[in-house]
Amino acid sequence: MIFSSPGCKYNELNFIDLKKFKIVDSVRITKLENIGTLDVKQLFNAIYNGFDGIFVIIRGKIKGDKFISEYNSFQKSVDEANRILKKRGFTNQRISILHWNGSNYKRFNNDINNVFRKIMKCGQNPIFQ
């Protein structure tokens, strides 16, 4: 599942590298774009509905070595959801934030691949095993 803040401009080509993975036939990507707020409940609903992992993409700018965005509050929801999932026997690798500045597609694709690898290591969503 992909949640993205307003201003994120990406397309299916950004996810084309996922086809390199052997089990990609079982991958289903659903997007909820242009959300202004992110609640822990939204993240749990995605997990409950069978998604093995979640990408949360927020748009912002890099100033110096720090990422600045009006959607930095998304990180708090992701951290809280991962903390609760870990307490419930899940891994804290199922939900990840990707910072997107809108220009470096190569880095964006690398980040997507890295998160996807983490999710694959986690295995199937324990609710549906």
Side-chain angles (χ1 to χ4, degrees):
M1 177 77 169
I2 300 168
F3 292 97
S4 59
S5 70
C8 290
K9 302 238 188 290
Y10 55 86
N11 58 40
E12 295 306 317
L13 293 176
N14 298 117
F15 303 98
I16 199 135
D17 285 344
L18 297 183
K19 292 183 179 182
K20 294 178 184 174
F21 294 97
K22 293 179 182 176
I23 63 165
V24 81
D25 293 339
S26 65
V27 173
R28 176 183 69 155
I29 297 175
T30 300
K31 296 184 274 187
L32 183 57
E33 300 176 283
N34 296 317
I35 60 172
T37 60
L38 181 66
D39 189 275
V40 174
K41 184 178 176 184
Q42 290 171 291
L43 300 171
F44 288 140
N45 281 338
I47 296 292
Y48 182 75
N49 287 320
F51 288 95
D52 296 326
I54 301 169
F55 300 91
V56 178
I57 305 170
I58 61 173
R59 170 71 188 228
K61 296 179 182 179
I62 297 174
K63 290 188 178 183
D65 61 345
K66 190 171 182 177
F67 185 80
I68 308 294
S69 174
E70 61 187 287
Y71 304 103
N72 282 340
S73 63
F74 284 27
Q75 183 70 56
K76 187 176 181 180
S77 295
V78 168
D79 291 344
E80 180 68 9
N82 276 326
R83 185 185 66 74
I84 293 169
L85 287 173
K86 188 174 182 180
K87 280 186 170 184
R88 300 289 182 240
F90 289 70
T91 177
N92 63 351
Q93 301 289 314
R94 292 200 182 266
I95 306 172
S96 295
I97 288 265
L98 299 174
H99 296 121
W100 175 234
N101 67 2
S103 63
N104 191 339
Y105 284 95
K106 185 175 181 180
R107 183 175 156 255
F108 184 64
N109 282 330
N110 287 340
D111 289 348
I112 288 170
N113 285 325
N114 289 336
V115 171
F116 190 72
R117 281 186 190 99
K118 287 179 187 177
I119 293 169
M120 284 179 54
K121 284 182 183 178
C122 294
Q124 256 189 331
N125 184 333
I127 294 173
F128 294 94
Q129 288 183 347

